[in-house]
Amino acid sequence: MERDEDNLLEDGNGIVVGESSKPIQSKDNSEPQLHGDDEEASALSSTLFLDHVGQVILTFNSDGLSWDKLHHSSINLDESICLGRKLAPKAATKIKFSDVYAVEFVDYGLVHEPNLLNGGRSLLGDDHEMYRFTVHGFQRSKTQSSLWVLAVYTFCHKDLQMCQMWVDRINASLNLELGRPRNLLVFVHPRSGKGSGCRTWETVAPIFSRAKVKTKVIVTQRAGQALHVMTSTSNKELYSYDGVVAVGGDGFFNEILNGFLSSRHKAPYPPSPSDISCPVDGNSSFIIHHGSSETVAETTSYQNEDQSPLLSSARQQNGSGFSNSRTEDGSCNTDQDCDLSFAKKQFRFGIIPAGSTDAIVMCTTGARDPITSALHIVLGNRVGLDIAQVVRWKTTPESKVEPYVRYAASFAGYGFYGDVIAESEKYRWMGPKRYDYAGTKVFLKHRSYEAEVAYIEVKSEEKNSTFERGRLSGWVRPLRSSNKSERVICRVNCTVCNKKTDQVSMGSPRSVPYPPPEETRWLRSKGRYLSIGAAIISCRNEKAPDGLVADAHLSDGFLHLILIKDCPHALYLWHLTQLAKRGGTPLNFKFVEHHKTTAFMFTSYGTESVWNLDGEPFQAHQLSAQVFRGLVSLFASGPEV
């Protein structure tokens, strides 16, 4: 989405764009007025000119700025006249410091008055140049609150010291705003999406410059370059930045995320499918009913259960005997500065959308808009994000067991999802349209796969299965009376994500990483599946406005396992069309299983097995996955209502 900055300024807070205006200058050299007996009081007011608006009284408050138009004898600037009738005066305008990202002195220059119904006559004399300073902030779009629009307010006065005093005072308040970044590492994917990565960065770069945020920009030249930079950069150097920003899509962010976590995240692996292959209660054999679920006892246990898995210690072992100090390739991490903590508190990731779907940005900001994302970053917003650790045990049926770790922030999918991403790789030259083309080809083939899935059973009060009213009783589940009303959609200041529990700690997978073995039950399902999906977040995007799971959360420590059993072609199409509808019910089918869980395992019974991890292909015959609650932080705040 490209937008000219000048066309972004709304007139809601006294800003008029695209109309002719006339220069004016004040006759008033009033001194700033302090309110109260104490000259150091925070309330300060001055008579200034607001460009395009007129003479105002600007007031400095503890939490922001406010201004009121002054009344003049010849015409009331606070009123509008239409056909001889006075219209209601506009309300006083204001902006909070939390919504201001920069203030700058812009020297001596023209000042413009609004269009007035007085024949174009200037009310305030012929002189029309003053000293000026500009306050940069944002407004929420009138049609979509999650979409943030740039707002610029230029105040003017004849006295240079007056303007400089206001600039200094506002800057002092902005410096008190906590968490705002000062130094960022930026990766730009030049061919992301429609090849707009560099153009997108050029659009938002002035925002970082005005906010006095230093940026080291790396435009990647080859696949895997960002992964290599993140992996090879020492902790000392990396943490000299306040965060890392990806200008690209979900796959590009996944590359950066894996480069960061592969050598720094220390945690036990989840159990492998072979760890629970033992018969229950010592029986020599047991039957897995086709298409049904069966309870299996967990055979793995974890030591040091009261410790966080985000430790730099290389001593902790997981139940499968693999050291949690091993990196993605299985080698031990020997970073010379491993004594640093996993991630300093202020370190965050940012995403400026320039990809094909940008699901992570849609879920964390509510808008697929580069300007909005850039504002979230410079304003220092923060939201925790669950991350799934995916361990591939075997690549093919004949492979040896060699654990290989990848991380996913939004989605892991097999079957239809894996086939689409693999097929789309052949058509990268088509840009984002390749997904529609590949998706159509894969859908027409209607392939299903024999596989086995095991997942941790979640207590009944934590389950989040979604069933809605349907019309075909043979294929559609009946309505559960209160389920829909009980949905809690993830929003700004989400109570679910912010909830602290004894069982779940931030940055850990539901304690360490599961409840004690005697409380853990694995459910196993075997059958033919059209697709298997694990949604870590709702995965909202323009093709699925509610996402795969509408009420999935950003940081609750759960993932949503969606098993689509083999079914007639027409019914699968119906399921997909429900995904594409706002308010649709894609989980409202008997061939769809939806399980809220903290970990799962997968084994393919075929020769081909390709997964989709955040939009990137990943071949795995046997894998396990576990979710870590709030493992990383993003420059975002969640979608607004």
Side-chain angles (χ1 to χ4, degrees), residues 416 420 438-447 569-570 572-574 576:
F416 176 80
V420 169
T440 301
K441 289 186 64 176
V442 172
F443 170 76
L444 292 175
K445 291 179 181 178
H446 197 61
R447 295 183 62 183
H569 215 154
Y572 191 52
L573 177 61
W574 189 9
L576 294 176

Side-chain angles (χ1 to χ4, degrees), residues 200-262:
T200 298
W201 172 246
E202 290 169 0
T203 300
V204 301
I207 295 176
F208 292 85
S209 177
R210 292 190 203 104
K212 296 181 175 60
V213 178
K214 296 179 181 179
T215 55
K216 178 182 178 180
V217 181
I218 299 176
V219 180
T220 58
Q221 304 298 319
R222 63 185 184 280
Q225 181 180 348
L227 175 79
H228 174 73
V229 172
M230 291 296 294
T231 303
S232 59
T233 302
S234 68
N235 286 340
K236 183 176 181 181
E237 180 181 354
L238 187 63
Y239 294 152
S240 67
Y241 300 100
D242 296 308
V244 176
V245 175
V247 184
D250 295 333
F252 189 50
F253 174 68
N254 179 274
E255 179 183 334
I256 293 170
L257 179 71
N258 275 273
F260 175 73
L261 293 175
S262 62

Side-chain angles (χ1 to χ4, degrees), residues 23-164:
I24 59 175
Q25 184 181 19
S26 173
K27 292 182 178 179
D28 186 359
N29 284 327
S30 63
E31 296 297 326
Q33 301 295 318
L34 287 170
H35 298 284
D37 298 331
D38 187 354
E39 292 185 356
E40 298 299 323
S42 59
L44 170 75
S45 66
S46 301
T47 301
L48 302 170
F49 280 89
L50 178 56
D51 205 20
H52 296 290
V53 174
Q55 198 171 29
V56 299
I57 296 178
L58 178 63
T59 302
F60 184 102
N61 303 303
S62 60
D63 62 345
L65 304 174
S66 62
W67 54 92
D68 293 283
K69 293 180 185 178
L70 284 180
H71 298 262
H72 294 276
S73 57
S74 57
I75 189 170
N76 188 342
L77 294 181
D78 198 37
E79 295 176 345
S80 299
I81 299 177
C82 180
L83 300 178
R85 286 190 172 187
K86 285 187 178 181
L87 304 181
K90 294 182 179 180
T93 54
K94 60 183 179 180
I95 187 169
K96 294 182 177 180
F97 290 130
S98 59
D99 295 342
V100 175
Y101 69 91
V103 60
E104 58 184 349
F105 180 70
V106 289
D107 209 355
Y108 200 72
L110 290 174
V111 182
H112 305 90
E113 68 175 345
N115 283 337
L116 299 175
L117 301 177
N118 63 344
R121 178 171 54 87
S122 174
L123 297 174
L124 300 168
D126 296 327
D127 296 331
H128 47 262
E129 291 189 345
M130 298 185 191
Y131 292 102
R132 301 166 298 167
F133 66 93
T134 298
V135 177
H136 296 274
F138 77 90
Q139 297 174 350
R140 288 167 176 82
S141 169
K142 296 176 181 177
T143 57
Q144 182 184 351
S145 60
S146 291
L147 182 65
W148 292 1
V149 181
L150 292 177
V152 174
Y153 309 93
T154 299
F155 296 94
C156 320
H157 200 275
K158 292 170 64 176
D159 183 21
L160 171 63
Q161 280 68 35
M162 172 73 75
C163 291
Q164 192 62 57

Side-chain angles (χ1 to χ4, degrees), residues 138 140 145-146 148 365-366 376 491-492 637-641:
F138 77 90
R140 288 167 176 82
S145 60
S146 291
W148 292 1
T365 69
H376 276 283
R491 298 296 188 199
V492 176
S637 58
E640 299 191 29
V641 178

Side-chain angles (χ1 to χ4, degrees), residues 251-486:
F252 189 50
F253 174 68
N254 179 274
E255 179 183 334
I256 293 170
L257 179 71
N258 275 273
F260 175 73
L261 293 175
S262 62
S263 59
R264 296 175 177 88
H265 181 220
K266 308 296 180 285
Y269 293 154
S272 71
S274 61
D275 289 330
I276 63 167
S277 61
C278 301
V280 180
D281 297 330
N283 295 333
S284 59
S285 65
F286 59 90
I287 298 175
I288 302 175
H289 298 287
H290 188 78
S292 63
S293 296
E294 176 177 349
T295 301
V296 181
E298 182 185 8
T299 61
T300 58
S301 61
Y302 294 87
Q303 305 299 321
N304 302 323
E305 293 190 357
D306 57 345
Q307 297 184 13
S308 166
L310 305 181
L311 300 176
S312 57
S313 169
R315 300 173 183 173
Q316 192 172 359
Q317 303 282 329
N318 74 352
S320 301
F322 298 105
S323 169
N324 71 338
S325 66
R326 293 185 180 273
T327 62
E328 181 175 296
D329 59 1
S331 62
C332 291
N333 174 41
T334 56
D335 191 352
Q336 60 181 354
D337 48 9
C338 64
D339 57 327
L340 292 177
S341 62
F342 168 70
K344 66 177 185 178
K345 290 182 179 180
Q346 296 301 319
F347 194 85
R348 282 155 286 178
F349 291 90
I351 309 175
I352 296 176
S356 301
T357 56
D358 300 309
I360 300 175
V361 165
M362 288 280 287
C363 293
T364 55
T365 69
R368 188 185 180 190
D369 176 58
I371 297 293
T372 300
S373 294
L375 289 168
H376 276 283
I377 294 171
V378 298
L379 291 172
N381 291 331
R382 172 190 295 272
V383 68
L385 188 66
D386 289 343
I387 300 295
Q389 180 196 57
V390 180
V391 181
R392 179 180 67 198
W393 303 102
K394 299 177 70 175
T395 305
T396 66
E398 297 78 21
S399 300
K400 295 180 179 179
V401 175
E402 295 179 341
Y404 180 86
V405 178
R406 286 282 297 274
Y407 295 88
S410 61
F411 180 73
Y414 169 77
F416 176 80
Y417 302 110
D419 291 348
V420 169
I421 205 66
E423 185 71 20
S424 69
E425 289 295 300
K426 306 173 185 177
Y427 308 101
R428 278 195 167 269
W429 55 271
M430 295 178 65
K433 292 183 179 179
R434 69 185 185 271
Y435 297 111
D436 295 332
Y437 179 70
T440 301
K441 289 186 64 176
V442 172
F443 170 76
L444 292 175
K445 291 179 181 178
H446 197 61
R447 295 183 62 183
S448 61
Y449 298 89
E450 186 81 15
E452 181 179 303
V453 179
Y455 55 93
I456 286 184
E457 182 185 42
V458 174
K459 294 179 181 179
S460 58
E461 62 267 21
E462 294 177 325
K463 287 184 179 178
N464 198 30
S465 296
T466 345
F467 306 122
E468 309 296 343
R469 182 180 299 277
R471 291 173 291 178
L472 300 181
S473 59
W475 291 100
V476 183
R477 292 188 176 96
L479 176 70
R480 288 188 176 178
S481 58
S482 62
N483 190 271
K484 188 170 183 178
S485 63
E486 291 174 356

